[in-house]
Structure formats: structure tokens, C-alpha cells
Amino acid sequence: MGKFRLTGLFLVIAGLTFLGVAFAINISTSKSEEKRIIVSTTERSVEQAMGIAGVVSDLLKDGAYSSQSLGAGATNPSSIDIGEILNESNIVRLNLYAPDGSFIWSSTFDRSDVNMHQMPIFENASDGTIASGLIRGANVSPPGGRQYRADVVETFIPFMDIDSGKPAVVLGVTSDVTEELAEGIGQTRSVIFKSTMISLGLGFAVLLIAVLIVDLRLWKHRVEAIEHERQLAAQELSATKLDLVNRELQHINEERTKFIATVSHELKTPLTSIIAFTDILSRNQGGPKKDRNMEQLEIVKKSGGHLLTLINDLLDYSRLESGDVKIDREEFAMAEIVTEVEGAMSPLLSAKNQSLVFEGDFNGQHVRLDRRRVVQVLMNLVSNAHKYSPEGTTITMEGRIHNGNIQMAVIDKGIGIAASDQARLFTKFFRIDNEATRSAGGTGLGLSIAKGIVEAHGGNIGVSSRVGQGTRISFTIPTGMTAKPVVAPTLKSSRTKSSVNSNSDAPSVERAASAVHPATGTA
């Protein structure tokens, strides 16, 4: 019932109201119609009474009867066929009264004077005026029949005395209109009741439909409001839960970062000592087992260097996660950076007979950046290009300063990156899962670290690649100062097919070798 509450209330109120209105209209209309029927019936009774009065008047004029003889004679004088007159109409009684209302003659056995119900009508006739009126429940005594009660129209017609000009006698004509009146009023009430109920029923139906529509719309709005409140509550609850989960994850991430930083720092200290003592042992080798010892020490040194590179990556990652990366800016010439990266990467590239070519012109321009971090980014990108480019290919490093920004890129002709993987390329620990990447080691942190360093300088980094056609990773960093042209030779360098023995790599080179490949996000 909650859904149709308004409709139910309307049905109760409207039902009672419509029934009251229908009853009032029916009663009012019935009374009005009843008056009309009474008037019509009375008029017809008067017409019949006037006809009988004409007959009686003619008899009185002819002297056949006088008022005295009528009053003294029998109830049904033989010379007047009263029964025939009465049978042809609804007249049940004829009376003659004196002007004062006393009985003179009657067509029935009734010998009574004008009674109290007749007197208000009779008084008008005694003044010489024809009077008529309806009397409800009058006693009627027909000739030879039993007395009964009926609705009658009493018509009093005075017969004037020519000499005195006053009524000599008054003829009373009683007409039984019970059936006619009941039939007319019943039919009228039936018609009025039907028409009233049809009209009110139609109105009630229209209003009911309108209220039902309004009720349904209100219910719909109510349901929508409740559903909206539920959704808001659910969203608020979900937001609260999500906030709690985020806080927990943030706490876990902070603890993980602290753990990685602590463990990496604790591992780095003894590993540095191991590498240092390996160098000392390498310099003091002699005897017949020197070559074998040197070979084994070199393996220890290279493995230690590789492990040190991984630890340094973890330390850099933890610093980037915690926001503790400090950018130590210093002024230097960009040409120096290019030369440093080419020299450091030359031994690594020689292992696959690759070459590194620089295309650009820094024109002796200086910048104010963290030199060590910029070198770290470039070496990571070049090392990755080296890992995933075929043997004998050329890796290109582009660079220029434009509008106060350093614009650099590393381009390879390697396996390329699928579009679906490029969006996740710079995320932590992400590695593309294919045959080429599985054969290369790494932590998946190189590109994430490079991105953090570039953004810490206020720059941005991006990738453009096609599978099977190579990869281009570029970054832009503000120079941190207004570029000042310096007169110096134009830098054009090219490293081709270096023949340096890879076994003589310095630890810095080993660190570069563990950097993340730009095409895969692996280390």
C-alpha cells in the first residue's frame, strides 16, 4: 500500500464525497421533479373536476336537482349515473358542501364535513375561487369498497348564486393520483440517479487516473531518491574502504622502501670490500697458477660489479620512492657528457660489434644540472639499446639545446615495443614477456629510475617504437641557465666497432651494462 498511498487516500475521500454529492443531487433533483409531477397531476385532476362540475351545473340549472334535494336524496340519485362518471376517470369521490364546509351530498357513504386537511384548500373555494391541492395519505371510501389511504388531489369548485353573487354550494372532486404520482416520481428518480452516477462516475474515473499517475510518479521519484541515497552511501563506504586500503598500501610501500634501502646499504658495504680486495689480489698474483687465479678473480670482480650495479639500482629506486633524491646541480658543458658516455659504453658495445654515433651540435653550450644523474640516464638508455639491438647495428644518440631545454634521444634498430606495452614501459619492475627479454637479465627498474631522474630535473621522457623497426626514447630537461655560446670546435664524434677487450671493463661500465633497455623496461 505504500506505493499507492495517495491513491488509496483519494479513493476513500473521493468515494465518500462523490456518494454525498450524488445523494444530494439525486434528492434535490427528485424533489424538484416531484413538484413538477404533482403540478401536472393536479392540473389534469382539475380538468376532470371541471368537466364533472359542468355536468353538475347543467343539472342544477335545469332544476332536475336542487341543492336541498341532493342533500335529502339517496347517496346515488337514479337520474345521475355517478358510477359511470367515476369509472371513466381516477375520480374516487364527489362531494357537495355548503359554503361553510358542512356536508350536503357525497357519491360515497362518507357523510363527513370538510376535515382539517381539506380546510386550507376549501377556504379559497368558499371565497368564490376554484382551489386544488395534493393531500398525502388521505382516507378514501369508494362505493361498495373498503376504506384505504391514498395520495389524492382535492379540487373544490364553487357554484355561485346569481342573486347574491356568493357561492351557493361547493363541489368537491377527489382524484386518486397514488399510482400516477409514484410511477412518475420513480421513473424520474431512476433516470436522474443513472445520469448522476454516470456523470460522477466518469469524473471519478478521470480524477482516479490522474491521481494514480501522480502517485506512480511520486513513487518513482521516491524510489529514485532512495536508490540515489543508497548509491551515495555505497560510494562513501567504498571511498572509506579504499582510503583505508590506500593508507595500508602506502604504509606497506614505505616499509618496503625502507627495507630495500636498508638491505641494499648493508649489502653494498661488504660487496665494496670484496671488489676492492679482488683488485688487490689481482695485482699480487704470481706463480704457475697466476693465469687461472687471474681468470677466477676477474669472474669474481665482474660478478661483484654486476651485483653492485643491481644494489645501486635498488638504492636509487628507494630514494625515488621516498622522495629523497637530491639533485646536485653544477655547471658543465654538454659536449663533455657525450664524450663521457661514448668512452664508458665503448667496451660494452664492442662485444656485439656495435657502434654509437652522436648526431647534434651543442656548440660549447653549458648547462646547470646534476651531471652524474644525467650520465646515468644516458648510459641506461644506451645500455638497453645495446642489449636489444642485433649485432653490427648502429645506436644513435641525438642532442641539442633549444629554447632553454636540452632535447636528447637514443635510437636503436632493435626488436621494438608493442603499442600495448608502451604505456607501462616506465613503471617499476615492468618487463615485456617475450623470448628476447627472457634471455637478458635485469630488475625492470632502469627506465623507472631514468624517468624519476628526468622528472626530478623538471623534465619529461617518452617513447616511440614499432615492433621489428626499433625504438626511440627521448627526454627533455630545462638547462637551468641561459645558454651562453662559447667559441669552440663543433663536436662530431663517432665510435665504430670498438675493439676494446670487454674483460677490462671498469665497475662504471658494468653498472651501465645492467641498465634497463628502453624497448622492454628490463634490466
Side-chain angles (χ1 to χ4, degrees), residues 179-477:
E179 294 183 1
E180 182 181 359
L181 195 60
E183 183 179 358
I185 292 175
Q187 291 179 352
T188 301
R189 285 184 176 178
S190 177
V191 172
I192 292 174
F193 179 78
K194 288 181 179 179
S195 61
T196 302
M197 293 307 296
I198 291 174
S199 300
L200 293 180
L202 291 175
F204 179 80
V206 172
L207 289 177
L208 177 62
I209 293 173
V211 173
L212 184 61
I213 293 174
V214 172
D215 213 357
L216 289 174
R217 289 184 177 178
L218 290 176
W219 176 260
K220 181 180 178 181
H221 290 318
R222 194 179 303 119
V223 170
E224 290 178 350
I226 293 173
E227 185 64 25
H228 181 64
E229 291 178 359
R230 288 179 179 175
Q231 290 178 357
L232 291 179
Q235 290 176 359
E236 185 176 355
L237 180 61
S238 298
T240 303
K241 291 181 178 179
L242 184 60
D243 184 59
L244 293 175
V245 172
N246 287 337
R247 290 182 181 179
E248 183 67 21
L249 290 176
Q250 184 177 3
H251 177 71
I252 293 173
N253 191 50
E254 290 175 355
E255 292 298 323
R256 182 190 63 182
T257 301
K258 291 179 182 179
F259 173 77
I260 292 175
T262 302
V263 172
S264 299
H265 185 270
E266 293 299 323
L267 290 174
K268 185 177 181 180
T269 301
L271 185 59
T272 303
S273 299
I274 292 173
I275 295 174
F277 280 106
T278 300
D279 286 334
I280 294 173
L281 290 174
S282 298
R283 290 194 297 269
N284 295 286
Q285 284 297 318
K289 297 183 179 180
K290 175 181 178 181
D291 293 338
R292 188 183 67 177
N293 291 341
M294 288 295 295
E295 182 179 350
Q296 293 175 348
L297 288 172
E298 187 64 30
I299 294 174
V300 173
K301 182 179 178 181
K302 290 183 65 176
S303 299
H306 181 65
L307 182 58
L308 182 62
T309 300
L310 296 180
I311 292 174
N312 285 331
D313 282 345
L314 290 174
L315 285 172
D316 286 338
Y317 161 72
S318 64
R319 293 190 188 101
L320 289 170
E321 282 286 294
S322 61
D324 293 335
V325 176
K326 294 182 180 180
I327 303 300
D328 297 324
R329 294 181 179 270
E330 59 177 302
E331 185 177 344
F332 58 90
M334 279 300 299
E336 298 174 2
I337 295 292
V338 174
T339 301
E340 183 177 349
V341 171
E342 287 178 337
M345 298 303 298
S346 178
L348 186 65
L349 297 174
S350 65
K352 294 177 69 173
N353 199 27
Q354 295 170 334
S355 61
L356 176 64
V357 176
F358 175 76
E359 294 182 356
D361 187 359
F362 285 117
N363 194 25
Q365 298 181 80
H366 285 225
V367 296
R368 189 173 181 79
L369 304 171
D370 188 328
R371 176 170 181 158
R372 183 177 67 85
R373 293 295 186 182
V374 174
V375 171
Q376 182 180 355
V377 171
L378 288 173
M379 291 181 67
N380 277 351
L381 299 184
V382 174
S383 178
N384 286 336
H386 150 74
K387 286 183 181 181
Y388 298 100
S389 295
E391 294 187 7
T393 58
T394 299
I395 299 172
T396 303
M397 182 168 55
E398 297 179 348
R400 66 169 183 163
I401 296 179
H402 179 69
N403 292 334
N405 293 313
I406 301 172
Q407 298 175 350
M408 298 203 70
V410 175
I411 306 165
D412 64 53
K413 297 179 181 179
I415 60 177
I417 310 169
S420 58
D421 293 325
Q422 292 181 21
R424 301 177 57 195
L425 188 62
F426 296 99
T427 57
K428 299 179 290 291
F429 304 107
F430 174 71
R431 297 190 66 182
I432 297 174
D433 187 16
N434 56 41
E435 185 177 352
T437 58
R438 293 191 200 102
S439 60
T443 61
L445 289 174
L447 281 184
S448 177
I449 293 172
K451 181 175 182 289
I453 294 173
V454 169
E455 291 179 348
H457 280 84
N460 56 76
I461 190 170
V463 60
S464 174
S465 179
R466 280 190 175 185
V467 176
Q469 298 183 17
T471 301
R472 172 190 175 93
I473 294 187
S474 58
F475 64 89
T476 301
I477 299 177

Side-chain angles (χ1 to χ4, degrees), residues 86-129:
L86 297 180
N87 289 334
E88 294 178 355
S89 65
N90 59 349
I91 297 173
V92 295
R93 183 176 59 191
L94 295 176
N95 289 338
L96 285 178
Y97 299 99
D100 59 358
S102 59
F103 172 78
I104 298 176
W105 171 83
S106 176
S107 64
T108 68
F109 295 102
D110 187 11
R111 298 290 189 270
S112 62
D113 298 333
V114 175
N115 59 37
M116 55 181 290
H117 300 293
Q118 297 170 320
M119 186 55 69
I121 306 172
F122 182 81
E123 288 177 350
N124 293 328
S126 63
D127 293 336
T129 305

